[in-house]
Amino acid sequence: MNAITNAVQRRCGELGVTGVFVLAFAIVAAVYFVSAPLVMMLASAFRGPDDLLPFESGADWTLDHFTEVYFNPLLYQETIPQTLSFGIGAVAVAFITAFTLAWLVERTDIPGRNIIFTFILFPLLIPTVILAIAWIFMFGPNAGWVNVAIRSFLNMDGSGPINIFTMGGLIVAQGASLTPFVFLLLAAALRSMNPSLEEASVASGASPLETFFKVTIPVLRPGILAPLILAGLIAIEQFELPLIIGMPARINVFSIRIFFELNPDDQLPIYGRAAALAIPFLFFGFALLLLYNYLVKQADSFVTVTGKGYRPARFALGKWKWPALAFATTYILFAALLPALVLIWISFFGYETPTLANLSKFSHSAYAELFQEQRFYSAVGNTFLVATLSASILVIIGAMISWIVVRSKMWGRNILDFFSFVSIGIPSVIAGFAAMILYLSIPIGIYGTVWVLVLAYCYRLAVTTRLSRAGLMQLHRELEEASYASGGSWLITIRRVVLPLMGPSLMASFILLFIVGFREFTVPLILQSEENMVLSVILWRLFENGEAAKSAAVATLIMALVIPVIFFMRKIFLPKEDMR
């Protein structure tokens, strides 16, 4: 006991009272942001009746919510099969598209690699609600522009031939939206693979196709399976596209079921039933995350990059150059360029077919009306405020958690590291619901304000802890030891030595978290009030009310705000040798 006490006192002496307080605050904040809403949600699953909050007077412990949910045949006839079909289909579309694009960009001599890379990132930065609305404008069965053009060209009557309001349409839309994320992960794996193994296979007489399946794929297996698992985790938690495209098609996935338990048409929110429904959804996500973590650790057995210099080999496409370029261009056209052009056109011309005759209908009235509405300015301010504050809080806490994990010998630091990483497995619809339950139950007066959004966004610790940890591991301990030897305290060393040297990774964390916060739709939709409206929710309300031009104008303004970020992302992710 004395040895433990002396060790604690010695460690506290090195950190100083301020250092102990800062690290303790970071730990408490991290645990609170991730676990407090979830604990409240879990409790609400076992509390009833339906019209009371979990710990209101009169609420009792009950299993009625589980009985109502899991003895309902619709769960097994519709929700589970449709959720699995949606998730598996979207991941398949995203993986096939992303792997093809990543291989073309990283391993071939396809023209315009830099431009292709940049445009592939575009859907990653734009709120998914914007892309969903744009695809409806393009592929709606009756008035969608692409359908109108096809019917006109083929002299067809009726609707279609493409109907986005189907499971197939939803899967393709979600797969296209997910492709940039999977592309980034696969591109990194392909970029870091030593080509000598493939060269040895070709020199042994194997054909390029044999080399691809017998050498490239096995070596990249962890780098392929890990993105697949992460893509599956993201796909099953999706809410925006199932709400906007799936709901008119009567597609009933888990996230939609949870949302409509919170927003029933003819009664009060049924918190307990939504929580009972969310629990297996949440644990399924955690199971996928554990599998992902295992696969990432297994990647060490497949390392092919050594200290010896090499340059990734690029295959000559030859006669396949133009088909490859056509494939990349088609994806960029339908996933990035056409949605943007459609929204810009509608914002100025209304829902009119783009023809020369309709150019005379140009009007900026949608923008003029927006700029006259106070709620629009409030939404802009709220969006920037919530995205900036939540990103700043997470970067600071993530840096402290990373220091504990990498530099300290504190007991439980590995548990703390895994705990922060697990936050990526929490679906946004569950995070929003859990925050609703928590801040409705705690009488601190922030529910319905922007501050509830700031706190609700702060569950995403995984982004900042992963990047901060990588940045800190690149700094040698002797830099901090030199500061201590010069009389600097722990806090001074962190502030003047560690944080400045971690600047690039901290800035990358901030930008990524800011983008996520800026494009967030699900959490603010669940927690919305007239005081905390953000741009994505304003956009949805306008679209839902049939104000196509104004909703397109909001979407266009959001795109104008995030497009500059593409160039920053390009500098982070694109290899320097390709920056030309």
Side-chain angles (χ1 to χ4, degrees), residues 26 391-401 464 506:
S392 301
I393 291 170
L394 283 173
V395 167
I396 294 171
I397 292 175
M400 295 301 98
I401 296 298
T464 183
L506 295 179

Short mmCIF file of all heavy atoms in Angstrom, two decimals, residues 26 391-401 464 506:
data_model
loop_
_atom_site.label_atom_id
_atom_site.label_comp_id
_atom_site.label_asym_id
_atom_site.label_seq_id
_atom_site.Cartn_x
_atom_site.Cartn_y
_atom_site.Cartn_z
N ALA A 26 -9.77 15.78 -18.17
CA ALA A 26 -9.87 15.19 -19.51
C ALA A 26 -10.48 13.79 -19.43
O ALA A 26 -11.32 13.42 -20.25
CB ALA A 26 -8.49 15.14 -20.17
N ALA A 391 -15.49 20.71 -32.03
CA ALA A 391 -14.19 20.28 -32.55
C ALA A 391 -13.07 20.73 -31.62
O ALA A 391 -12.13 19.97 -31.35
CB ALA A 391 -13.98 20.85 -33.95
N SER A 392 -13.13 21.96 -31.12
CA SER A 392 -12.08 22.47 -30.22
C SER A 392 -12.02 21.67 -28.92
O SER A 392 -10.95 21.29 -28.45
CB SER A 392 -12.33 23.95 -29.91
OG SER A 392 -12.35 24.72 -31.09
N ILE A 393 -13.19 21.41 -28.34
CA ILE A 393 -13.24 20.64 -27.08
C ILE A 393 -12.65 19.25 -27.29
O ILE A 393 -11.84 18.76 -26.50
CB ILE A 393 -14.69 20.55 -26.58
CG1 ILE A 393 -15.18 21.92 -26.11
CG2 ILE A 393 -14.81 19.54 -25.43
CD1 ILE A 393 -16.67 21.98 -25.83
N LEU A 394 -13.05 18.60 -28.38
CA LEU A 394 -12.58 17.24 -28.63
C LEU A 394 -11.09 17.19 -28.92
O LEU A 394 -10.41 16.25 -28.51
CB LEU A 394 -13.36 16.63 -29.81
CG LEU A 394 -14.77 16.17 -29.48
CD1 LEU A 394 -15.50 15.74 -30.74
CD2 LEU A 394 -14.76 15.03 -28.48
N VAL A 395 -10.57 18.18 -29.63
CA VAL A 395 -9.12 18.20 -29.91
C VAL A 395 -8.32 18.32 -28.62
O VAL A 395 -7.32 17.62 -28.43
CB VAL A 395 -8.79 19.35 -30.89
CG1 VAL A 395 -7.28 19.60 -30.93
CG2 VAL A 395 -9.30 19.02 -32.29
N ILE A 396 -8.75 19.21 -27.73
CA ILE A 396 -8.03 19.39 -26.46
C ILE A 396 -8.11 18.14 -25.60
O ILE A 396 -7.08 17.64 -25.09
CB ILE A 396 -8.61 20.61 -25.70
CG1 ILE A 396 -8.34 21.90 -26.48
CG2 ILE A 396 -8.00 20.70 -24.30
CD1 ILE A 396 -9.06 23.10 -25.93
N ILE A 397 -9.31 17.60 -25.44
CA ILE A 397 -9.47 16.39 -24.61
C ILE A 397 -8.74 15.22 -25.25
O ILE A 397 -8.06 14.43 -24.57
CB ILE A 397 -10.96 16.07 -24.42
CG1 ILE A 397 -11.61 17.15 -23.56
CG2 ILE A 397 -11.14 14.70 -23.78
CD1 ILE A 397 -13.10 16.99 -23.41
N GLY A 398 -8.85 15.08 -26.59
CA GLY A 398 -8.17 14.00 -27.29
C GLY A 398 -6.66 14.05 -27.13
O GLY A 398 -6.00 13.02 -26.98
N ALA A 399 -6.09 15.26 -27.15
CA ALA A 399 -4.64 15.41 -26.97
C ALA A 399 -4.22 14.95 -25.58
O ALA A 399 -3.19 14.28 -25.41
CB ALA A 399 -4.23 16.86 -27.21
N MET A 400 -5.02 15.30 -24.56
CA MET A 400 -4.68 14.89 -23.19
C MET A 400 -4.82 13.38 -23.01
O MET A 400 -3.98 12.74 -22.36
CB MET A 400 -5.59 15.63 -22.19
CG MET A 400 -5.39 17.15 -22.15
SD MET A 400 -3.70 17.65 -21.71
CE MET A 400 -2.98 17.96 -23.33
N ILE A 401 -5.88 12.81 -23.57
CA ILE A 401 -6.07 11.35 -23.48
C ILE A 401 -4.92 10.64 -24.18
O ILE A 401 -4.39 9.62 -23.69
CB ILE A 401 -7.42 10.95 -24.09
CG1 ILE A 401 -8.59 11.55 -23.30
CG2 ILE A 401 -7.55 9.43 -24.15
CD1 ILE A 401 -8.67 11.11 -21.87
N THR A 464 -10.16 12.27 -32.93
CA THR A 464 -9.05 13.07 -32.41
C THR A 464 -8.02 12.22 -31.66
O THR A 464 -6.82 12.49 -31.74
CB THR A 464 -9.58 14.21 -31.51
OG1 THR A 464 -8.50 15.01 -31.07
CG2 THR A 464 -10.34 13.66 -30.32
N LEU A 506 -3.02 17.96 -34.73
CA LEU A 506 -4.13 18.63 -34.05
C LEU A 506 -4.98 19.41 -35.05
O LEU A 506 -6.21 19.42 -34.95
CB LEU A 506 -3.60 19.56 -32.96
CG LEU A 506 -2.87 18.89 -31.78
CD1 LEU A 506 -2.39 19.94 -30.79
CD2 LEU A 506 -3.78 17.89 -31.08
#
